[in-house]
Amino acid sequence: FSFFNGNTQPFTFSKPERDAKIKNGFEILGKFNQKVFILKKIKSEFFVSVYNTRMELEENIALNSVPERAANLQVLKLKDYTTIWFRYTKGKSNKLLVLSLDKNGKTSGNPKQIISWTEQFSENKRSFYLTVSEDKMQIMVSIVHEIKEKKYHFKNLLLNHSLDSVRASETFLEGINHHDFYSEFTLDNDGNLLFCRGERDDDGLNLQKIFLYIQKMQSDSFTVRELIFENHYLNGFKIKIDNLKGRYLLTGFYCNNSNYDKVEGLVNAFYDKKSEVWSVKNIIPFNDDVKSMATTLRSSRFAMDDYALQNVLVSKDGSFMVFAEQIIPMADHDRFSRWTDNDNSEEDEVDFLIP
């Protein structure tokens, strides 16, 4: 275990534009050829703003092919180009379209329609999910909506790198509870879609039962595999695909009580794709030395309670690193959570996969 306090790198700020407002939406597209590209919505129009390395605006490229009523814009970076996805709604009719950009921020043709469906959505309610494989060669589009309480309809479309359809499927999932904890969707290099659900008791805060949901590339339904850590309760988890070893890693902090949030250590489990079982499961308690290194304002007993899992990196030999960030709250009654406060904003209402 390693702990460090890092100094931040210098920040360069751009000047506000004349028509800019506080609530203007934006998304960072990336840096190409020493230029920074940012997708912006100014009033009712969409632009790609091009900045130099000093964050001085050089050009606003109008995206005239993106309609004013476009909603749920999402940016997906692929191997050779960047894509902008959006929903266009008229009444109950919905279309998912994608616009491709080259490395100069220029559009290549008109938006391409990917899928259509019928359902009533509010303007800001999230309606589709995009998942890209690690090798950037496959994309899964998931349309998810609630049929009735605890029952959801999944409409999945697998695309290749050229955004051509590979396979479409529809299925239903029951037992989906908003009280539970859900990981993000993940797609492996074979086109298998997966996510995890952590089950809470009615009065519990932490998680003991974990369910892995896998929809194989050639299947129309989800396979479910349960994972239990006896006498250990997770307060959250991350799932990571190890494509080289053909397995899925689940890792998270654990507590010893379903209602108590004192973090005691780290749990890890590997699911093997070939044998379809949880092949490895271990528990790593944090000793006093680890807690002492993590301590700042709290006593060492509660040293890890302010840490939130941020990322998991898997190396070629199968080993992995877990990164956690300390979030120091202003007061104990107003704790900041990376899993809730950031993911559930009023401007991006989500009715599924709510941590």
Side-chain angles (χ1 to χ4, degrees):
F1 296 92
S2 298
F3 294 86
F4 64 92
N5 295 316
N7 295 321
T8 60
Q9 62 186 14
F11 286 90
T12 303
F13 295 92
S14 63
K15 294 181 179 179
E17 297 176 49
R18 180 178 300 177
D19 295 328
K21 296 181 180 180
I22 294 177
K23 290 188 176 180
N24 279 347
F26 71 93
E27 181 78 27
I28 298 174
L29 299 176
K31 184 178 181 181
F32 308 103
N33 300 325
Q34 299 302 310
K35 305 289 184 182
V36 178
F37 296 86
I38 298 178
L39 173 66
K40 292 182 181 180
K41 183 179 181 181
I42 301 176
K43 295 182 179 180
S44 60
E45 297 179 293
F46 295 91
F47 298 87
V48 172
S49 296
V50 184
Y51 293 84
N52 59 27
T53 55
R54 298 183 299 277
M55 290 308 294
E56 297 169 338
L57 180 65
E58 293 190 348
E59 184 181 8
N60 272 328
I61 303 172
L63 299 180
N64 297 320
S65 55
V66 178
E68 178 182 344
R69 296 176 62 185
N72 303 149
L73 269 74
Q74 296 184 47
V75 174
L76 198 61
K77 302 178 183 70
L78 300 178
K79 217 166 190 178
D80 306 317
Y81 58 101
T82 299
T83 54
I84 300 173
W85 304 68
F86 59 91
R87 186 190 87 225
Y88 179 77
T89 300
K90 188 174 182 180
K92 290 187 177 182
S93 176
N94 298 273
K95 296 178 182 180
L96 176 61
L97 299 105
V98 59
L99 184 67
S100 299
L101 304 178
D102 61 23
K103 292 187 177 182
N104 295 312
K106 307 290 186 179
T107 60
S108 52
N110 293 319
K112 178 179 181 179
Q113 180 174 324
I114 299 298
I115 194 172
S116 62
W117 70 100
T118 302
E119 188 182 4
Q120 187 72 51
F121 282 100
S122 63
E123 181 179 353
N124 293 318
K125 189 174 183 180
R126 187 172 179 178
S127 54
F128 65 91
Y129 299 85
L130 298 176
T131 316
V132 63
S133 59
E134 185 181 37
D135 60 6
K136 306 291 186 183
M137 298 304 293
Q138 301 190 77
I139 304 117
M140 182 71 79
V141 178
S142 299
I143 311 294
V144 186
H145 64 274
E146 190 171 12
I147 300 297
K148 61 180 182 179
E149 186 178 0
K150 297 185 179 181
K151 184 175 182 179
Y152 282 78
H153 174 246
F154 281 73
K155 187 174 184 179
N156 293 326
L157 178 63
L158 183 65
L159 308 172
N160 60 21
H161 177 259
S162 301
L163 304 180
D164 297 320
S165 176
V166 176
R167 190 177 189 277
S169 66
E170 292 190 52
T171 188
F172 295 90
L173 270 184
E174 300 196 42
I176 300 298
N177 192 334
H178 286 278
H179 183 62
D180 295 337
F181 180 93
Y182 294 87
S183 73
E184 60 188 8
F185 287 133
T186 312
L187 187 70
D188 69 20
N189 289 347
D190 294 326
N192 302 315
L193 179 70
L194 59 137
F195 70 92
C196 278
R197 175 173 69 91
E199 186 176 276
R200 290 187 174 100
D201 296 331
D202 291 338
D203 299 325
L205 296 175
N206 296 319
L207 321 163
Q208 185 179 32
K209 291 183 179 179
I210 309 296
F211 298 91
L212 173 64
Y213 292 79
I214 307 170
Q215 185 182 26
K216 297 180 180 179
M217 201 267 277
Q218 295 295 338
S219 176
D220 289 329
S221 60
F222 281 92
T223 299
V224 185
R225 293 290 183 264
E226 185 177 357
L227 173 66
I228 298 178
F229 293 97
E230 296 291 345
N231 301 319
H232 294 85
Y233 299 83
L234 279 67
N235 68 358
F237 52 79
K238 290 282 187 182
I239 188 166
K240 187 73 173 182
I241 295 173
D242 185 350
N243 284 293
L244 291 178
K245 299 293 184 181
R247 57 186 186 175
Y248 309 138
L249 165 66
L250 182 141
T251 185
F253 291 139
Y254 76 84
C255 309
N256 289 331
N257 188 291
S258 63
N259 291 298
Y260 194 44
D261 65 350
K262 184 167 74 71
V263 173
E264 299 287 354
L266 191 72
V267 297
N268 305 292
F270 277 108
Y271 180 85
D272 184 75
K273 288 171 59 176
K274 187 175 181 180
S275 61
E276 298 187 343
V277 297
W278 292 100
S279 57
V280 176
K281 185 170 66 172
N282 61 43
I283 297 169
I284 305 173
F286 295 141
N287 58 31
D288 291 340
D289 291 338
V290 173
K291 293 181 179 180
S292 178
M293 286 189 291
T295 300
T296 52
L297 300 178
R298 290 178 177 266
S299 68
S300 60
R301 183 184 177 191
F302 302 96
M304 301 301 300
D305 291 5
D306 295 329
Y307 283 82
L309 293 177
Q310 293 301 308
N311 198 9
V312 181
L313 296 181
V314 179
S315 64
K316 293 181 179 180
D317 62 3
S319 61
F320 61 94
M321 292 187 293
V322 180
F323 294 85
E325 180 183 0
Q326 185 184 38
I327 309 299
I328 301 177
M330 296 300 294
D332 286 343
H333 66 274
D334 186 24
R335 298 190 65 183
F336 177 82
S337 170
R338 290 282 181 180
W339 296 310
T340 54
D341 297 81
N342 281 3
D343 290 346
N344 297 324
S345 65
E346 293 180 357
E347 295 186 359
D348 187 17
E349 181 185 352
V350 182
D351 65 344
F352 185 71
L353 300 181
I354 303 180

